[in-house]
Amino acid sequence: MKFSKSLAALFAISLTFPALAQVTIDHRFSNTDAQSLIGLPMGSHKTIVDKKGNLKWSQWSLKRKPLDTPIGFSMQMDGELAIEAFAGAAPLAVTSQTLYNGRYPFIVTKLVSANLSLEELAFSVDPDSKPGTIPDRNSGTHGLDVVRLTFTNSSPTQQEATLKLSGKERNLPGHVTGSTLITGAGEDVALLTETAGATPTPEDNGLTLAVHLTIPSNSSKTIALRLPYEWQAKRNAELSTLTVDQLLTKAVAQWDDLWSHGTHLEFPQKDLTDFYYSSIAYVLILTEYDAAGDLWTLDGPAVYRQYWGRGEYFQARALEVAGFFSPARESVEHAFHIINDDGEWDGPPTSGWPAWDNAGGNAAAVWDYYLYSGDRAWLAKAYPYLLHASEWIKAHREESTLEEVKGLPTGAIPIKRLLTGAKCRTIPDPPLAPGEKSYSYGLLPWSYGDSGLPEGHSYSHNFLAAYAVDVTSKAARALGYRDDAAWLDKEYAAYTADIRESVRRAVTLEKIPTPYLPAMPTYPEGAYSQTFLAVYPTQLYSAQDPLVSGLIARMEKEEQQGVPTNVAWAGPAGVWAGEAMNMAETYLLRGEKQKAADMTIAAMNHSYTTNVFKEEILVDADAPRACDTPHSKRANGEGTGDMPEAWGNANAVLILRDMLVNEREGTLHILPGLLASWVPVGKTLTLDDAPVTTGRAISVRVDHPTAAKWTITIDPQSKIRNFIVHIPVDSPSEITVGGKKVAITPEIPVIAGKSVVIEVVK
């Protein structure tokens, strides 16, 4: 349901409004080695745009991935188009990179030299897609990248400009053939389709395609390039004949059409709205079908072009709350096909690294899809995978109970699963008193640490694994499997009791006075970003738990640039903006909405100017690192991992949505994180057709027509009756619900099966 124009007119008041409140997203903490991305949603091609405006891609899509492939299999960029521009002999220098119109996942690179400037616009488009469909669903043969290059001469005299193009495909160099770069194997690298009247010429023994232009005074000339995906030059006549501007119009329309089928969100601040929509775009671009037709949610386009169940939860949930159920469901169903025959639900699937949090991420994604969709028949099909994973968890917790047993028969000694690649550090091994259980007693087996933790028994793995058992129990109850629910409840109680006992003992090893929720049993001060999984989404610990409060207090003291440090490989030397938003979600659950908002904006200001995130960014290169690995050996401003990092953009979608609509223990909370300053006088915030787990969807509108008056209009779409509205106004003098005065409290419980209007007077 969209709010009608007539309803909007009820709140239209002619006033002179003050400037917007200060919600500034200026990317002031962006990393120095950033890169951007263009691509089609659910397509096989992801094209990196570097800071110079060059395009790079890997040939190793999931459809041709070997069976045994290490992480980073597509890190090698064996396709490239270098774009070099000159004014006379002087190269043009990049001055900025932004998104097209602030929102579309098209990269605008601006370059200048003296009086000559160049705007490079790179975007992806499927010329054959039809409205209402997701472009390039099956890596459409006509999908392509397009580059529009516009030279502008602002001087009173004509200027000479040169554009030089060189590149490769499948690591084979492109040779100039007319207006095209073609490999010796006959595959296109790039086609020059609009030349502004100039004649392209070969240079550098035919490896450079050069265009020499004369730009009259105070005028512009445009050149257009096409990079068709894996295309034989002999088929070039089959390519679309649309002009570059027509292709741009089509690409814009495709994204507008896609966004129109999802949740509609408009903040008074355009930067926030644009961040929301561009983040949805990146999450969708970072999905891909494999050769079997399974849809993977990916963590990145290169190093992390891989599937992690723990990340898939946040990405799938972001798609669900944004209203894109089909790709969310397909990504969850992919997880069904990677579970081992004994129920081990590990990941990433091609690495072999034991990371038990993936089981919880997969299970949580299954449960959330059911909650948002209400599809009980689908849950019944998914249930055997949940059950099998929970059986594996129950059985394999026995391994940790035997690790420290003295006199254990040689053949029964638990193995430490094979790990290859980067190691972090050796986990501390404090002595045990005679008969004392190990600190990891009852947890899952020894596993990959990740994110700056030593290999061992990280709590984040166990928080999510326990959650897998919890949601399986809930699924069993929803489907009427009472016997299963009974043993699952018993196992969940036993598992969480072992976790809590291990935490209790780990706290005694802490080195600061205020107890805090630790990262792992014998190394509590380890990198602790994912420790917040205990709160969100698992609710194993309350957001108000003293140990959670202690953790937050410690992290606040160590913050830099508004976000926490010691969150992963870089340790105290770096920050991880994407993970910071999980801490913001915890603030939100604690009712500390100012802190949640501040950290959200700080995290967004650690994104690059095209609204993409790096994993970590070094902020204090002189501080200790969590791990002595290539991940952490960076200079200030440099980042680790891949970019864009899907978690970052998924978490941006989630925190912005959760500030406005948030489910807690079966109750829907409206506006739990909205600050009054985010809706200045004369402005409106709208959230339309937002899926919720307590019903189908809800729409919310917040109007602030005068300094003294606020109006909150809620349409529960007849499916939601009970909810709580958090009043964003400080010290109101009067509150009415449906025209009737109610007690003045920060939280207003509402029972309504139809639209309700709440008016607040200061």
Side-chain angles (χ1 to χ4, degrees):
M1 179 264 186
K2 300 287 192 295
F3 285 102
S4 67
K5 292 183 178 179
S6 59
L7 181 59
L10 292 175
F11 306 109
I13 298 176
S14 178
L15 292 171
T16 300
F17 300 129
L20 285 177
Q22 192 71 17
V23 178
T24 303
I25 301 175
D26 56 13
H27 310 279
R28 69 192 74 172
F29 303 120
S30 177
N31 56 303
T32 58
D33 55 347
Q35 63 186 32
S36 303
L37 183 70
I38 59 175
L40 298 174
M42 303 168 75
S44 292
H45 297 84
K46 289 93 173 67
T47 302
I48 289 168
V49 181
D50 69 18
K51 292 186 75 172
K52 294 182 179 180
N54 301 311
L55 277 61
K56 301 177 181 179
W57 56 94
S58 172
Q59 212 65 41
W60 296 101
S61 71
L62 296 184
K63 288 190 174 180
R64 58 172 59 90
K65 180 178 70 66
L67 291 177
D68 185 14
T69 308
I71 289 175
F73 67 91
S74 61
M75 183 179 179
Q76 178 176 286
M77 299 291 107
D78 53 1
E80 180 173 3
L81 179 68
I83 302 173
E84 300 173 283
F86 301 84
L92 274 66
V94 174
T95 59
S96 67
Q97 280 186 318
T98 56
L99 291 181
Y100 182 69
N101 289 343
R103 175 179 303 186
Y104 298 91
F106 316 153
I107 309 305
V108 181
T109 305
K110 293 189 176 181
L111 309 90
V112 299
S113 176
N115 295 317
L116 190 67
S117 64
L118 171 62
E119 181 185 271
E120 174 193 314
L121 172 61
F123 62 96
S124 302
V125 64
D126 182 355
D128 302 320
S129 73
K130 302 296 187 291
T133 63
I134 294 182
D136 201 37
R137 178 182 174 89
N138 295 305
S139 187
T141 55
H142 289 234
L144 58 132
D145 296 334
V146 180
V147 184
R148 187 182 72 182
L149 300 129
T150 302
F151 287 93
T152 299
N153 176 13
S154 59
S155 73
T157 59
Q158 70 179 26
Q159 298 284 316
E160 300 300 317
T162 301
L163 184 72
K164 294 187 176 183
L165 308 171
S166 60
K168 59 182 178 284
E169 178 77 5
R170 300 179 191 269
N171 214 36
L172 297 174
H175 301 270
V176 177
T177 303
S179 299
T180 308
L181 284 170
I182 305 173
T183 70
E187 197 164 352
D188 282 330
V189 177
L191 294 78
L192 189 57
T193 58
E194 297 173 39
T195 65
T199 301
T201 58
E203 295 182 359
D204 301 324
N205 295 317
L207 295 176
T208 296
L209 179 60
V211 184
H212 301 280
L213 297 169
T214 298
I215 316 294
S217 64
N218 299 310
S219 63
S220 301
K221 286 190 175 182
T222 297
I223 293 173
L225 307 171
R226 301 186 189 199
L227 292 74
Y229 300 148
E230 301 178 32
W231 196 260
Q232 286 290 312
K234 63 186 179 183
R235 298 182 61 195
N236 283 349
E238 300 174 39
L239 292 171
S240 170
T241 59
L242 295 177
T243 68
V244 66
D245 288 337
Q246 288 171 330
L247 288 170
L248 176 60
T249 298
K250 194 169 186 74
V252 167
Q254 287 169 354
W255 279 105
D256 284 341
D257 178 69
L258 188 149
W259 284 324
S260 72
H261 287 82
T263 301
H264 178 74
L265 176 58
E266 294 286 338
F267 287 96
Q269 299 82 7
K270 183 177 182 297
D271 285 350
L272 282 178
T273 304
D274 286 344
F275 214 114
Y276 173 81
Y277 282 104
S278 62
S279 291
I280 293 170
Y282 286 126
V283 173
L284 283 167
I285 291 171
L286 288 171
T287 60
E288 183 174 340
Y289 286 97
D290 65 14
D294 275 7
L295 184 69
W296 296 35
T297 51
L298 308 173
D299 270 16
V303 182
Y304 294 159
R305 196 162 176 170
Q306 183 56 276
Y307 177 91
W308 275 265
R310 64 178 182 219
E312 194 263 357
Y313 166 75
F314 296 104
Q315 290 152 248
R317 181 172 180 254
L319 292 174
E320 289 154 4
V321 302
F324 297 101
F325 282 81
S326 177
R329 184 190 69 252
E330 289 187 70
S331 75
V332 176
E333 290 172 348
H334 161 61
F336 300 162
H337 304 149
I338 60 173
I339 193 169
N340 291 347
D341 60 359
D342 65 347
E344 181 182 323
W345 218 348
D346 197 5
T350 59
S351 74
W353 291 356
W356 313 132
D357 51 355
N358 289 283
N362 290 329
V366 169
W367 182 242
D368 261 32
Y369 180 78
Y370 166 68
L371 291 179
Y372 283 110
S373 69
D375 191 337
R376 192 171 180 274
W378 182 87
L379 180 64
K381 294 178 181 179
Y383 179 73
Y385 303 100
L386 296 177
L387 185 64
H388 207 23
S390 291
E391 289 169 340
W392 186 93
I393 290 167
K394 180 179 184 298
H396 281 265
R397 288 202 302 118
E398 182 185 12
E399 290 184 49
S400 67
T401 68
L402 300 176
E403 284 181 343
E404 303 297 331
V405 174
K406 304 301 181 183
L408 196 67
T410 300
I413 297 173
I415 64 166
K416 290 190 174 181
R417 285 163 171 76
L418 178 65
L419 281 171
T420 59
K423 294 289 192 297
C424 187
R425 65 171 71 213
T426 301
I427 188 169
D429 188 19
L432 298 172
E436 185 181 13
K437 295 178 180 178
S438 69
Y439 283 84
S440 56
Y441 185 91
L443 305 185
L444 278 179
W446 185 93
S447 67
Y448 179 51
D450 199 13
S451 296
L453 293 178
E455 282 69 51
H457 299 272
S458 64
Y459 285 128
S460 60
H461 285 201
N462 287 277
F463 294 153
L464 271 181
Y467 191 55
V469 178
D470 184 33
V471 301
T472 304
S473 172
K474 292 174 180 175
R477 197 166 283 105
L479 295 169
Y481 301 140
R482 295 182 179 179
D483 290 345
D484 283 351
W487 80 256
L488 287 162
D489 285 344
K490 185 177 179 180
E491 168 60 16
Y492 179 69
Y495 191 2
T496 54
D498 284 341
I499 291 173
R500 290 179 182 277
E501 174 60 14
S502 178
V503 166
R504 183 193 67 78
R505 296 174 65 197
V507 168
T508 66
L509 302 176
E510 294 175 354
K511 300 173 182 177
I512 63 174
T514 304
Y516 60 89
L517 191 64
M520 62 190 311
T522 60
Y523 187 47
E525 68 271 23
Y528 33 53
S529 69
Q530 295 185 59
T531 308
F532 285 107
L533 291 169
V535 178
Y536 164 77
T538 70
Q539 300 180 41
L540 179 57
Y541 282 78
S542 163
Q544 287 78 26
D545 190 283
L547 291 180
V548 174
S549 298
L551 177 61
I552 288 174
R554 173 169 185 167
M555 294 179 75
E556 286 177 344
K557 290 179 181 178
E558 299 170 358
E559 281 180 10
Q560 291 208 47
Q561 301 173 351
V563 290
T565 59
N566 194 26
V567 287
W569 306 102
V575 300
W576 188 351
E579 284 292 288
M581 286 180 278
N582 280 346
M583 186 172 174
E585 291 274 6
T586 301
Y587 278 136
L588 191 61
L589 293 172
R590 288 167 62 88
E592 298 176 286
K593 59 183 182 181
Q594 183 68 58
K595 288 184 177 181
D598 289 347
M599 185 160 287
T600 297
I601 299 304
M604 290 179 175
N605 276 322
H606 283 80
S607 68
Y608 184 51
T609 52
T610 53
N611 290 355
V612 290
F613 289 96
K614 193 80 167 180
E615 185 176 76
E616 285 185 276
I617 301 175
L618 269 288
V619 296
D620 184 1
D622 295 327
R625 307 295 204 274
C627 300
D628 185 22
T629 71
H631 292 287
S632 62
K633 293 178 180 177
R634 300 287 192 274
N636 280 341
E638 292 183 342
T640 71
D642 210 345
M643 191 172 195
E645 181 213 29
W647 281 16
N649 288 112
N651 284 343
V653 171
L654 292 171
I655 187 64
L656 289 176
R657 178 266 191 187
D658 289 345
M659 284 179 168
L660 306 179
V661 177
N662 194 291
E663 303 92 335
R664 305 177 190 178
E665 298 177 354
T667 300
L668 185 63
H669 290 251
I670 311 295
L671 309 180
L674 180 64
L675 298 176
S677 61
W678 281 31
V679 186
V681 175
K683 298 298 177 179
T684 297
L685 182 152
T686 58
L687 176 69
D688 280 327
D689 291 331
V692 293
T693 63
T694 57
R696 188 174 68 85
I698 195 165
S699 294
V700 182
R701 178 184 176 109
V702 181
D703 287 276
H704 190 186
T706 71
K709 184 178 180 180
W710 292 68
T711 303
I712 302 168
T713 306
I714 301 168
D715 180 5
Q717 302 190 15
S718 301
K719 299 291 183 180
I720 307 159
R721 297 194 59 82
N722 300 346
F723 50 90
I724 294 174
V725 181
H726 296 247
I727 303 301
V729 184
D730 294 328
S731 304
S733 63
E734 181 180 290
I735 301 176
T736 62
V737 178
K740 298 180 179 179
K741 289 185 180 181
V742 299
I744 298 174
T745 61
E747 299 178 7
I748 306 294
V750 177
I751 300 177
K754 57 184 179 180
S755 294
V756 61
V757 176
I758 299 174
E759 292 190 333
V760 183
V761 178
K762 283 280 285 184

